[in-house]
Amino acid sequence: CVRYFPESELIGISQQKALLSTMDLNDSTSLAELMSRYVSTETGFGVPKDGWRICLAHEFKEKRKPFQARDVSLSNMIEHVSLGVRYLRWWYRKTQVEKKAPFIDMFRALPLRQIYGAPLGGIGGGSITRGWRGDFCRWQLNPGMYHYKTVIANQFTVCLRRGGQTVYQQVLSMDRPPTLQGWNWGYCGEYAFYHALYPRAWTVYHLPGQNVTLTCRQVSPVIPHDYKDSSLPVAVFVWDIENKNDYALDVSIMFTMVNGSGHKDDKSGGHWNEPFHLEKDGESVSGVLLHHQTPVNPYTLCIAAREKVIHQMAFSPKGTCSALWSDLMTDGRLDSPKDSSPPTQKGEEVAAALAVSCSVPANNHNSVEFSLAWDMPKITFGSRERIYVRRYTRYYGTKGDAAPSLSHYALTHYSKWEESIDEWQRPILQDGSLPAWYKSALFNELYFVVDGGTVWVELPEDADISGGLRPEDGGLPAQPDVVKEYGRFAYLEGQEYRMYNTYDVHFYASFALIMLWPKLALSVQYDIAGSVVQHDPTERLNLMNGRYSPVKTRGVVPHDIGDPDDEPWVRANAYMIHDTADWKDLNLKFVLQVYRDYYLTQDEQYLKDMWPICQTVMEVELKFDKDGDGLIENSGYADQTYDGWKVTGPSAYCGGLWLASVCMMCKMARVLKCESVYQRYRDILERGRAAFDKLLWNGKYYNYDSSGQSLSNSVMSDQCAGQWFLRASGLGEDDYQAFPKEKICSALKSVFDLNVMSFAGGQMGAVNGMRPEGVPDHSSVQSDEVWVGVVYGLAATMIHEGMIEEGMHTAEGCYRAVWERMGMAFQTPEAYCEKGIYRSLAYMRPLSIWAIQKLALSSLRNEGTS
């Protein structure tokens, strides 16, 4: 028999059923709120039950503002006045002299726009976001650089004809723009809803008075363990048309697209459109190519369809544009010139239209399909020092002529993509023990793998990622097999925090990659490992302390691999707040990820390659064990993850990571049969465990730090991060136990009681720091924030320890706050406070939710099998 929840766990079967009933009630209540303005009874064609659903007419009541410099408290402002002055000077030089965007802009944070939906496209080829109201509104075609502009002419329009006469023609948009006034705008959003279950999304439009319902299904090729199709910059729109009349209708869908992204270079001149027709393997695809001829990173957009299409090669998206509207209304078709459009003049814009028609019998259904592709095969970053080629060029070439083939492949293979997506998602969606909010969060948070400024490039033939140290000297191969075969991968810390592969954040987010695209996770690890041995002696000002230090110190894991506005992979550590030599937790997080990744992949070559690098970084860490008690010490702001929260002496967070790392060094030494190394770290572990308990355990939880100062006994939500990684790696017990189970459970209970349930009525996740008396720790900017990705990791830790009810409740608070109340769908922030403020939209860390599903819940169920 299968016993999912052993008796030793803190929650029993009856409690679980009660919990699920409560969760189901919460799900129903939330759905009712987001759908409260929906007046139709239509449910759409093939729309799943689970996911994030919202009426197009919904308005979020809560309006939050971004954290900016003026939101720093007076006490923190006084303490960091020198930092503020240095940052202001640096910011001025960067923006006014160099004319570049700062990697973090404290004065021009992104305002909250509660409009975003599931992004389009595969991984690493650029991304285009279509909002939940149908707007094409967020663009990342140039690698890592975002452009937030709604291009109003990018629309779908429906035309209904009966008996040779047009009876209805409507732009499927609620907007009423000042341009294109010859079109019929102002669709009533109360008759439509959006439903997202990434990587797919559905928009259901009931056409008032027509007895017709349209369902637009958006499909992107984001498929776990697929390293070909998942790289393709393309998406498909399938329009299912339901005719519930007792007479037939002819239906046309028109897709219009501007040549560009709403950027000023749309008017730079030299852009042009051309028709194409491609027949291959008995399948024909036709459409329009929109060539965008910018001097840097030129690209081609492509709109296409499988059916016999009718197109308008070029129209100006200015003025009333009534000619195009009338052309469609006349007969449901468009005039289709065969020649290319002339290149635009400076100041001009050009757009294209594509229309597909079908007949829909009475009380029946039919469908039409469109694709949107973009081909930017070669890319340069901001400094333009090197040219990279994207991953998909391995299959489609680097000439910039791949858009027709990409479109053909997408339109003829999207059904196979959907089969793979269904096979992946079905076991989770059909699991009745999981609440609906969790299923939505699990899949929809994956948007960031595509929309995190992501780049996935081929490794050049002459590249050397080893940092110059060969295996025989304790280094890496110049081109490790996994990197050579699967390329290099990078994603931003956040759309507002513009640094690639920020390692302390990737520590949390990496669970999504190692579980779904493990070769990409290993590729990132090789890149980081190669940088450990590098040294960049260039002196740079550290904004926090005002001192100069080398950009990169040998033996230390870098904070990040670079800024896309500079030259990633060439110049690491774009982050310049602190001295890189002081970041103790980065080295530890490298060791923790190395063993976890080996545990999950069983890649022995990977472990052998990483072992000397692990020994190198641990030797650096051991220098901070100044009194020989087996525990490293911190000072100042040495924990990189919580770099705004002062720490003195050994701390719960960094000390816990250290003990977990020592534990994993013991395990790796045993696997690799390095007995002397095992004995050395075994001795360190024994001494370190005793010191950790003596200095930090207070009888209920681990103190924030060991300084004995007034705030040292704050309750840190992330104090058990080391135990989290041990449990996720199959360790944490017997010979590989770093923390007593009873103390971990007590600490987690304290966190749940104080950081979760005593904060915001227990409905917003866990605040980072809480005082034992039940009020948030306001000693720093970060201590009174909720970090969504940390909360998901905390929830996974609780579940690992059998606290299923507490873990799921903790994670649920974040999901409902972000996705249902704050209107931050597909832009989950790094942080928010109880009221008013959020920080850093569209952030990497919340990908940690995959630690719950794939590791915590799965491991519990395996343990409960008898």
Side-chain angles (χ1 to χ4, degrees), residues 123 449 454-456 487-491 501 513 520 523-524 527 569:
I123 301 172
V449 173
T454 312
V455 289
W456 185 3
R488 290 178 123 172
F489 175 86
Y491 56 164
N501 292 354
L513 288 184
L520 297 184
S523 177
V524 170
D527 262 330
W569 289 301

Side-chain angles (χ1 to χ4, degrees), residues 574-816:
Y575 190 76
M576 53 182 292
I577 305 298
H578 296 281
D579 184 342
T580 60
D582 287 338
W583 294 339
K584 301 177 184 65
D585 61 329
L586 297 182
N587 281 3
L588 305 178
K589 289 172 178 176
F590 177 80
V591 174
L592 293 170
Q593 289 185 72
V594 165
Y595 182 73
R596 181 207 58 186
D597 296 349
Y598 165 73
Y599 171 74
L600 295 174
T601 64
Q602 294 298 297
D603 188 325
E604 294 183 3
Q605 187 59 52
Y606 166 75
L607 185 62
K608 291 176 182 178
D609 287 343
M610 294 295 153
W611 178 235
I613 310 298
C614 287
Q615 293 182 82
T616 297
V617 300
M618 288 298 281
E619 288 298 327
V620 171
E621 295 299 299
L622 280 167
K623 295 176 182 178
F624 296 101
D625 180 12
K626 297 177 181 179
D627 54 10
D629 65 355
L631 198 61
I632 61 173
E633 297 183 13
N634 299 15
S635 62
Y637 299 88
D639 289 335
Q640 175 50 40
T641 296
Y642 300 91
D643 61 351
W645 196 353
K646 274 191 173 180
V647 61
T648 303
S651 67
Y653 183 71
C654 208
L657 295 178
W658 164 253
L659 289 181
S661 300
V662 172
C663 208
M664 288 192 179
M665 289 296 287
C666 292
K667 180 64 176 179
M668 287 188 282
R670 272 285 163 88
V671 171
L672 295 169
K673 297 180 172 58
C674 299
E675 190 62 23
S676 62
V677 177
Y678 170 81
Q679 290 298 337
R680 182 189 183 202
Y681 279 97
R682 186 76 209 171
D683 176 64
I684 294 171
L685 180 60
E686 293 296 334
R687 289 184 285 116
R689 286 192 302 201
F692 189 76
D693 275 1
K694 178 181 179 181
L695 292 171
L696 293 162
W697 182 251
N698 66 16
K700 291 185 177 180
Y701 58 89
Y702 294 104
N703 286 337
Y704 173 66
D705 68 20
S706 57
S707 67
Q709 297 175 2
S710 60
L711 297 177
S712 67
N713 64 340
S714 285
V715 187
M716 187 184 195
S717 66
D718 211 6
Q719 62 183 272
C720 297
Q723 176 72 358
W724 172 35
F725 256 71
L726 286 174
R727 295 282 278 162
S729 305
L731 303 176
E733 297 179 340
D734 302 326
D735 289 345
Y736 302 103
Q737 183 183 69
F739 316 94
K741 180 176 176 61
E742 66 275 10
K743 291 182 178 178
I744 288 292
C745 290
S746 176
L748 291 173
K749 184 179 185 303
S750 295
V751 169
F752 183 74
D753 290 343
L754 290 167
N755 301 59
V756 179
M757 298 307 294
S758 298
F759 175 76
Q763 301 299 312
M764 294 185 74
V767 67
N768 280 339
M770 182 67 86
R771 300 293 302 138
E773 57 269 25
V775 296
D777 182 334
H778 297 293
S779 63
S780 76
V781 168
Q782 298 174 338
S783 58
D784 65 354
E785 292 180 326
V786 175
W787 289 6
V788 181
V790 166
V791 171
Y792 288 152
L794 169 62
T797 312
M798 289 176 172
I799 293 168
H800 273 302
E801 303 305 327
M803 300 171 63
I804 302 172
E805 178 179 3
E806 293 90 337
M808 295 300 276
H809 180 88
T810 299
E812 179 183 4
C814 277
Y815 173 78
R816 295 205 186 279

